[in-house]
Amino acid sequence: VQLQASGGGMVQSGGSLRLSCTASVSIRDINALGWHRQAAGKERELVASISSGGNVNYLDSVKGRFSISGDIAKNTVSLQMNNLKPEDTAVYYCNIIAGSGVHYGEYDYWGQGTLVTVSS
Protein backbone atom coordinates (compact mmCIF):
# COMPACT_ATOMS: atom_id res chain seq x y z
CA VAL A 1 0.00 0.00 0.00
CA GLN A 2 1.33 3.42 -0.92
CA LEU A 3 -0.06 6.76 0.12
CA GLN A 4 0.45 9.57 -2.36
CA ALA A 5 0.46 13.05 -0.88
CA SER A 6 0.27 16.24 -2.88
CA GLY A 7 -0.39 19.93 -2.49
CA GLY A 8 2.70 21.17 -0.73
CA GLY A 9 4.52 24.27 -1.84
CA MET A 10 5.71 27.69 -0.85
CA VAL A 11 3.38 30.44 0.32
CA GLN A 12 3.67 33.70 2.16
CA SER A 13 2.57 34.11 5.73
CA GLY A 14 -1.23 34.31 5.85
CA GLY A 15 -1.67 32.22 2.75
CA SER A 16 -3.44 28.90 2.27
CA LEU A 17 -2.62 25.45 0.97
CA ARG A 18 -4.60 22.25 0.66
CA LEU A 19 -2.88 18.90 1.07
CA SER A 20 -4.41 15.74 -0.31
CA CYS A 21 -3.55 12.08 0.14
CA THR A 22 -4.81 8.99 -1.65
CA ALA A 23 -4.07 5.31 -1.14
CA SER A 24 -2.87 3.23 -4.08
CA VAL A 25 -5.20 0.38 -3.18
CA SER A 26 -8.32 0.00 -1.12
CA ILE A 27 -7.61 -0.25 2.61
CA ARG A 28 -10.04 -2.16 4.77
CA ASP A 29 -10.97 -1.47 8.37
CA ILE A 30 -9.56 2.03 8.58
CA ASN A 31 -9.33 3.24 12.17
CA ALA A 32 -8.06 6.75 11.57
CA LEU A 33 -6.77 9.18 8.97
CA GLY A 34 -4.26 11.84 9.84
CA TRP A 35 -1.56 14.32 8.98
CA HIS A 36 1.75 14.67 10.78
CA ARG A 37 4.59 17.08 10.20
CA GLN A 38 8.27 17.27 10.88
CA ALA A 39 10.19 20.52 10.89
CA ALA A 40 13.94 20.59 10.46
CA GLY A 41 15.65 19.50 13.65
CA LYS A 42 12.41 18.62 15.38
CA GLU A 43 10.46 15.47 16.07
CA ARG A 44 7.47 14.48 14.01
CA GLU A 45 4.19 15.66 15.50
CA LEU A 46 0.54 14.89 14.88
CA VAL A 47 -1.18 17.85 13.26
CA ALA A 48 -4.71 16.53 12.82
CA SER A 49 -6.58 13.27 12.81
CA ILE A 50 -10.05 11.97 12.17
CA SER A 51 -11.24 8.61 13.40
CA SER A 52 -13.59 6.20 11.68
CA GLY A 53 -16.18 7.33 14.20
CA GLY A 54 -15.76 10.95 13.15
CA ASN A 55 -13.76 12.21 16.13
CA VAL A 56 -11.41 15.00 15.09
CA ASN A 57 -8.32 16.20 16.91
CA TYR A 58 -5.96 19.05 16.16
CA LEU A 59 -2.59 20.19 17.40
CA ASP A 60 -3.28 23.23 19.59
CA SER A 61 -1.20 25.54 17.43
CA VAL A 62 -3.29 24.84 14.30
CA LYS A 63 -6.76 24.93 15.82
CA GLY A 64 -8.96 27.39 14.00
CA ARG A 65 -6.61 27.51 11.02
CA PHE A 66 -6.42 23.93 9.74
CA SER A 67 -9.27 21.61 8.84
CA ILE A 68 -9.00 17.88 8.18
CA SER A 69 -11.44 15.94 6.07
CA GLY A 70 -11.46 12.34 5.06
CA ASP A 71 -13.37 9.78 3.07
CA ILE A 72 -12.83 6.32 4.46
CA ALA A 73 -14.62 4.62 1.59
CA LYS A 74 -12.33 6.34 -0.91
CA ASN A 75 -9.23 6.10 1.29
CA THR A 76 -8.51 9.81 0.99
CA VAL A 77 -7.62 12.46 3.52
CA SER A 78 -7.12 16.18 3.03
CA LEU A 79 -5.84 19.04 5.11
CA GLN A 80 -6.96 22.58 4.42
CA MET A 81 -4.44 25.00 5.89
CA ASN A 82 -5.37 28.66 6.22
CA ASN A 83 -3.59 31.63 7.72
CA LEU A 84 -0.29 29.80 7.44
CA LYS A 85 2.60 30.94 9.60
CA PRO A 86 6.36 30.51 9.18
CA GLU A 87 6.33 28.06 12.08
CA ASP A 88 4.09 25.77 10.00
CA THR A 89 7.04 25.14 7.69
CA ALA A 90 7.68 21.39 7.68
CA VAL A 91 7.40 18.21 5.71
CA TYR A 92 3.83 16.97 6.03
CA TYR A 93 3.04 13.26 6.04
CA CYS A 94 -0.34 11.62 5.63
CA ASN A 95 -1.07 8.55 7.68
CA ILE A 96 -3.73 5.84 7.65
CA ILE A 97 -4.14 3.40 10.51
CA ALA A 98 -6.16 0.26 9.99
CA GLY A 99 -6.99 -3.07 11.51
CA SER A 100 -9.92 -4.81 13.14
CA GLY A 101 -10.44 -6.95 16.19
CA VAL A 102 -7.16 -8.09 17.71
CA HIS A 103 -5.40 -6.32 14.85
CA TYR A 104 -6.93 -2.92 15.64
CA GLY A 105 -4.38 -0.23 14.85
CA GLU A 106 -1.85 -2.75 13.64
CA TYR A 107 -1.50 -1.49 10.10
CA ASP A 108 0.20 1.89 9.82
CA TYR A 109 0.64 3.43 6.38
CA TRP A 110 2.56 6.61 5.58
CA GLY A 111 2.83 8.92 2.62
CA GLN A 112 6.17 10.07 1.26
CA GLY A 113 5.88 13.58 2.66
CA THR A 114 5.22 16.90 1.00
CA LEU A 115 7.12 20.06 1.86
CA VAL A 116 5.27 23.15 3.02
CA THR A 117 7.30 26.33 3.26
CA VAL A 118 5.81 29.50 4.68
CA SER A 119 7.80 32.70 4.23
CA SER A 120 7.41 35.73 6.44
Side-chain angles (χ1 to χ4, degrees), residues 1-118:
V1 176
Q2 293 184 334
L3 303 186
Q4 183 66 44
S6 61
M10 181 179 293
V11 295
Q12 291 187 332
S13 182
S16 298
L17 284 173
R18 183 176 181 85
L19 305 182
S20 296
C21 179
T22 302
S24 60
V25 297
S26 179
I27 301 173
R28 295 174 54 187
D29 302 318
I30 290 178
N31 308 138
L33 309 164
W35 287 91
H36 300 243
R37 69 185 182 188
Q38 187 167 20
K42 295 186 177 181
E43 294 186 353
R44 189 174 298 190
E45 60 183 357
L46 176 63
V47 176
S49 66
I50 181 168
S51 72
S52 58
N55 293 318
V56 178
N57 289 291
Y58 293 99
L59 182 68
D60 283 347
S61 62
V62 307
K63 287 180 179 178
R65 300 187 298 120
F66 290 12
S67 179
I68 188 171
S69 60
D71 188 328
I72 288 179
K74 295 182 179 179
N75 296 175
T76 61
V77 57
S78 298
L79 185 69
Q80 177 66 41
M81 305 184 294
N82 299 324
N83 190 20
L84 282 160
K85 303 176 180 181
E87 52 264 42
D88 295 318
T89 295
V91 177
Y92 284 71
Y93 299 89
C94 57
N95 172 232
I96 295 180
I97 300 173
S100 63
V102 296
H103 301 289
Y104 187 90
E106 181 174 318
Y107 304 99
D108 197 7
Y109 306 106
W110 291 87
Q112 82 284 8
T114 184
L115 178 62
V116 172
T117 303
V118 185

